[in-house]
Amino acid sequence: MMERATAQRFLDAVARRAAIRLLEPRDFNTRLMEHGPIAIDHLLAVYGDEPELADHVTAIFATALEGQAHRPPALLARDTERSAGRGWHLGHDVIGAWAYLDRFCGTLPSLHDHLGYLDELGITYLHLMPLFARPAGPNDGGYAVSSFRHIHPPLGTMEDLRRVAEALHRHGVALAIDLVFNHTADDHTWALAAKQGSPADRACYLTFDTEGETAEYQRNLRQIFPDEKPGSFVYSADLEQWVWATFHSYQWDLNYRNPEVFRRMLSETLFLANIGIDVLRLDAVPFIWKEPGTTCENLPQAHTIVRALNALVRIAAPATIFKSEAIVHPDDVRSYLGTDEPDGRECELSYDPLLMVEAWEALATGHTHLLRQSMATRFVIPQRTAWVNYVRSHDDIGWGFADEDATAVGIDGFWHRMFLNRFYTGEEPGSFSRGVPFQVNPATGDARVSGTTASLAGLERAMLRGDDLQVELAIRRILLLYGLAIATPGIPLLNLGDEIGTLNDHTYLYDPERSHDSRWIHRPSFDWERANRRHIPASIEGSIFGPLTHMLRVRRSLAVFAAGSAYRPLDSGNPHVYLAEVADGAVVVVANFTADRQDITVAGNRTWRDALTAEPRTPAMTLAGYELLWLVPTPETVEATTPGP
Ligand code: GLC
C-alpha cells in the first residue's frame, strides 16, 4: 500500500489544486489517511497503464473532496454517528422493505402520509425502486436512467427526495435507492452528447465500428433478455456504431476502462449521498468490466472498481454504504461483499438470492436437503457485511443454486431447474402455484419465473377455486418463507404488498410497453382497500399481516439475529424439516416444508419455548403442516448447561 506520508502529500496537493474547503483537519485526516491510500492502490490496479494517470487520479480525488465539501451539516453529523461502532446495518433491529414508489403511494410528497404504515410494520430501512428521469417509452421500470440528477417528473423533484430522506431519518428509517451502475439510458445526458458528436461522451460507452468486432465477445456472453433482444449489442444510427447493451437495447453499458467514467459515476454517487441516501444498491454490478475471451461477468477489475469507489465514499460521505445486486453463482454473489482486510471493503450489503431460491425450492419439493447443503456451505460472509434476506424482489426468480450443491445431494441441476420452472408455472401435477414464465431461452432450455409471493405460494389458485383449506395452506406457506428469512442473521426485507397477500396482476398484458415483460405481473399497485382489512384477523389480509408483524416484533427482541451471528443448519433426521441454529443454539429455527405433520427430535438435553407463540416444546415434537418455530432454550436449561465460573 502507498506510504502514508506520500499519500498525505498527494492528497493535500489535490485539495489545494481543487481549492476545496475540507472538513475539520482531525476528521479529514483520519478518514483520508485511512481510506485515501486504499483508493489510490485500487485505482492504480485498474488504471495504472493510463497515459495521463496522475491527472485522472487527481481529478477523481478532487471529485471526492468536492463531494465532501458540499455535504450538508446534518449529513456530516450522520457520518460521524454512523462511522462509530460496528455499523448500523449489522443490527438485529434493522427491518427492511421495498416498493415502487408510484405503485405504493404515487409520489414522493405523498410518502409522508404513509410513514405510519411503515411504522406499524417496524420498517427501519426503505428501498425505493428507481426514481430518476427515464425515457418516455420503454424504460425497464426506471432502470434506464436519463439523469441521476433529476427525478422522474410524475414522482416529484430532487428537493422532494431530500425532504423524504430527512423525514425518514427523523423516523429512524434508512433510505436505499438504486445506483444503476452498469448502464445509462440511451437518452442520458452523456449518451445524447455522444450522439451529437462529443468524443469525450462517446468514450463513456463501449462502441464498435463493425458487428464483426462484437462477435469475439458475443460468443462467450450470457443473454439476459433473450426473449426481447438476442445478443448484447445494438446498432446506433446516430453513432454509426455498435454499442454494448447487456440488458435492453436502450440501456447502454458504461465503459469503466475509461477513468473519466469512474470519476463521473463517483460524482453521481456523492451527489446522491449528499441528498441523504443511506444505501446505494449497485445495480447489475457483475457486468461492469469486459475482457475478450471471458464471460464479462464478475471479473476482478469489477471488484477493484467497487472497492475504489467504496474507499472514496468512506472519505467523502461515510454514512452511505453499498448493497450489491449480483444474481450470479452463489460464490460470485458472496464475492461482492469483499473481505475483512482493510483494503477488501466492497459492498456492505448483498441480497442473498440463494436463501430465497432454496426456500422456494424446498417448498416445491417438500425436501430440505438442498436448502440445508447451500446454507451450510455458503452463508459465512465478512464480519462487516450483512445479507439482505428476502422472499420476493421486483425481478424474476432464476434458480441460481450452485450445481455443486445439487450434485452433493444427488440432484441434477439442469433438470431440477426445469422441474422448478414447471412447478411454479403450474404445469407440474400437484403444483399449487400460478407463476408465469420469464425469458424462456429455447436454445439453452433456460427460463425463469415471475409471480407475486402469494400467487406463487398458492393463494391465487386457492381463491379462484374457493378452496378454504388451500387458502389456509397458502397463507402458512407465505408465513413459512417469511419466517425463515426473518429468522436468518442479516436484514430481513419485506416486499410491500406481501403482508396483505397481494396476488398477480394480469393487467400488464394490456399495456403494450409492458406486455412483453412478465415481471410486471408481480409489480401491482398497492391495494390500500385490502390493506384496510389488515386488522381483521379472520380476513386473508389480517391472517398474514398479523402473524408477520408479530414475527418482526419478536425478531427485534432477539439480538442474536444481528448480522455476523453464527448460523448452522442441523440434521433434523427428517428430510422434510429444516433445522438451523443461530448463535450456537440461542435460537433454533424449525420449518416443516410440507402440508403434512412431521415428527422430529431436536438433539441435546435442553427444553424449549417457541419464541413466536411462547409455548413450551419438548425436544421430541410433532409439527403441523408448514409449521415454523423459533425455539429458544428455557431459562432452566440455559442455567443447567451454562458452565460455572
Ligand atoms: C437489475 C434490475 C432489473 C433490471 C436490470 C437492468 O437486474 O434488478 O430490474 O432489469 O438490472 O437494469
Side-chain angles (χ1 to χ4, degrees):
M1 201 188 288
M2 180 182 266
E3 292 234 336
R4 283 175 88 87
T6 320
Q8 173 111 48
R9 272 199 305 281
F10 169 76
L11 294 164
D12 284 348
V14 172
R16 267 199 310 280
R17 191 161 146 184
I20 284 165
R21 176 184 64 85
L22 297 171
L23 279 179
E24 285 297 298
R26 198 165 39 91
D27 283 0
F28 172 70
N29 273 335
T30 318
R31 295 204 315 240
L32 204 57
M33 282 306 102
E34 189 179 346
H35 302 287
I38 293 173
I40 295 173
D41 277 354
H42 290 321
L43 291 171
L44 295 187
V46 182
Y47 299 119
D49 293 338
E50 279 295 314
E52 281 153 19
L53 176 68
D55 287 350
H56 284 300
V57 176
T58 306
I60 287 168
F61 268 87
T63 299
L65 301 184
E66 204 171 287
Q68 176 267 305
H70 287 112
R71 196 131 169 93
L75 294 177
L76 290 174
R78 201 167 172 83
D79 286 339
T80 309
E81 179 201 317
R82 296 232 142 166
S83 309
R86 235 181 120 229
W88 64 273
H89 61 289
L90 304 177
H92 71 284
D93 48 356
V94 185
I95 308 285
W98 72 265
Y100 280 93
L101 183 79
D102 53 339
R103 311 212 130 211
F104 180 62
C105 63
T107 64
L108 282 165
S110 67
L111 187 67
H112 297 271
D113 303 332
H114 294 86
L115 295 180
Y117 186 77
L118 300 179
D119 271 353
E120 229 184 281
L121 288 159
I123 302 306
T124 59
Y125 165 114
L126 179 65
H127 176 192
L128 296 175
M129 294 287 115
L131 305 166
F132 303 111
R134 63 201 60 182
N139 53 49
D140 196 12
Y143 280 93
V145 174
S146 309
S147 161
F148 290 105
R149 309 246 170 172
H150 295 94
I151 298 293
H152 181 43
L155 301 178
T157 62
M158 238 346 136
E159 190 45 39
D160 294 332
L161 180 59
R162 195 190 308 277
R163 290 209 189 102
V164 159
E166 277 168 13
L168 289 173
H169 291 172
R170 274 198 305 278
H171 260 73
V173 181
L175 177 57
I177 63 168
D178 284 80
L179 179 64
V180 182
F181 198 58
N182 175 65
H183 45 265
T184 71
D186 66 354
D187 74 346
H188 185 279
T189 345
W190 308 338
L192 290 181
K195 288 176 185 176
Q196 281 152 16
S198 151
D201 291 280
R202 186 184 290 246
C204 290
Y205 300 96
L206 291 146
T207 55
F208 303 86
D209 291 334
T210 63
E211 195 174 7
E213 286 170 59
T214 67
E216 74 168 307
Y217 289 99
Q218 187 65 69
R219 70 177 69 97
N220 299 309
L221 302 180
R222 188 157 65 103
Q223 307 215 19
I224 308 298
F225 294 141
D227 257 12
E228 200 184 322
K229 175 183 71 74
S232 300
F233 300 89
V234 59
Y235 184 72
S236 161
D238 294 302
L239 299 187
E240 296 182 333
Q241 276 183 310
W242 291 83
V243 186
W244 199 306
T246 299
F247 294 88
H248 295 96
S249 47
Y250 50 84
Q251 288 164 307
W252 287 4
D253 287 32
L254 287 164
N255 174 18
Y256 280 94
R257 275 181 188 273
N258 174 0
E260 173 59 9
V261 167
F262 179 91
R263 193 201 62 74
R264 288 188 187 192
M265 287 305 283
L266 170 66
S267 181
E268 304 312 281
T269 305
L270 294 177
F271 171 80
L272 294 171
N274 286 350
I275 296 286
I277 307 302
D278 298 286
V279 179
L280 286 166
R281 169 190 182 274
L282 300 188
D283 180 68
V285 67
F287 299 91
I288 63 172
W289 193 268
K290 285 69 166 159
E291 285 289 342
T294 73
T295 59
C296 300
E297 289 185 44
N298 309 308
L299 295 180
Q301 293 87 340
H303 292 285
T304 311
I305 285 174
V306 178
R307 289 179 188 196
L309 190 73
N310 192 316
L312 291 159
V313 172
R314 287 318 102 227
I315 296 167
T320 301
I321 59 171
F322 294 158
K323 172 162 93 162
S324 98
E325 189 250 352
I327 309 299
V328 286
H329 185 284
D331 292 341
D332 291 321
V333 173
R334 210 163 38 160
S335 67
Y336 291 92
L337 290 167
T339 68
D340 276 323
E341 303 299 311
D343 61 352
R345 188 163 179 149
E346 206 165 320
C347 293
E348 289 79 0
L349 301 173
S350 166
Y351 287 111
D352 189 358
L354 191 57
L355 173 65
M356 186 273 291
V357 299
E358 285 310 334
W360 285 107
E361 186 271 343
L363 204 57
T365 58
H367 281 82
T368 61
H369 42 334
L370 189 50
L371 171 63
R372 189 173 144 216
Q373 172 74 12
S374 304
M375 295 301 281
T377 51
R378 297 176 204 279
F379 186 75
V380 178
I381 50 176
Q383 281 297 313
R384 61 179 158 222
T385 67
W387 287 121
V388 174
N389 301 311
Y390 65 112
V391 173
R392 277 307 278 120
S393 77
H394 67 293
D395 282 329
D396 47 288
I397 302 180
W399 305 105
F401 52 80
D403 277 338
E404 307 88 285
D405 288 345
T407 307
V409 295
I411 288 176
D412 179 296
F414 178 81
W415 290 108
H416 201 52
R417 289 186 181 93
M418 290 278 202
F419 161 77
L420 292 167
N421 283 326
R422 286 175 55 81
F423 186 91
Y424 280 109
T425 53
E427 282 177 48
E428 197 61 30
S431 165
F432 44 72
S433 192
R434 272 179 62 94
V436 294
F438 179 71
Q439 301 294 329
V440 180
N441 188 342
T444 57
D446 184 37
R448 287 113 80 187
V449 171
S450 293
T452 64
T453 299
S455 290
L456 293 176
L459 189 59
E460 187 175 336
R461 178 179 288 255
M463 285 172 72
L464 282 172
R465 294 186 176 179
D467 185 334
D468 290 345
L469 173 67
Q470 284 300 325
V471 167
E472 167 65 26
L473 291 178
I475 291 172
R476 288 196 205 174
R477 290 185 199 110
I478 297 168
L479 294 172
L480 180 75
L481 293 178
Y482 267 103
L484 187 67
I486 296 170
T488 303
I491 301 182
L493 183 73
L494 171 69
N495 166 14
L496 284 172
D498 279 357
E499 72 283 11
I500 53 167
T502 300
L503 301 179
N504 281 346
D505 173 10
H506 298 268
T507 58
Y508 79 101
L509 290 168
Y510 306 108
D511 178 344
E513 267 171 31
R514 293 181 170 163
S515 55
H516 60 277
D517 186 342
S518 72
R519 291 176 300 174
W520 288 101
I521 204 170
H522 55 249
R523 300 170 181 173
S525 290
F526 193 88
D527 189 337
W528 288 101
E529 250 175 60
R530 287 193 62 191
N532 287 339
R533 295 199 286 271
R534 67 190 182 275
H535 298 305
I536 306 173
S539 67
I540 288 178
E541 296 78 11
S543 47
I544 302 172
F545 189 91
L548 192 67
T549 42
H550 176 68
M551 283 197 267
L552 293 171
R553 264 196 307 277
V554 176
R555 146 110 195 183
R556 285 196 298 276
S557 71
L558 291 169
V560 294
F561 286 135
S565 279
Y567 186 87
R568 195 162 67 97
L570 304 172
D571 184 1
S572 73
N574 179 332
H576 309 296
V577 178
Y578 180 71
L579 201 64
E581 63 169 12
V582 183
D584 301 321
V587 175
V588 173
V589 181
V590 183
N592 174 6
F593 274 88
T594 69
D596 302 319
R597 286 187 187 184
Q598 301 291 344
D599 294 323
I600 59 157
T601 301
V602 180
N605 49 9
R606 291 178 162 188
T607 60
W608 303 93
R609 183 173 57 83
D610 174 21
L612 294 169
T613 57
E615 295 288 323
R617 303 294 292 223
T618 52
M621 60 185 93
T622 299
L623 302 165
Y626 298 122
E627 187 165 8
L628 168 85
L629 306 172
W630 295 356
L631 298 176
V632 290
T634 55
E636 311 83 69
T637 19
V638 174
E639 269 163 38
T641 52
T642 307

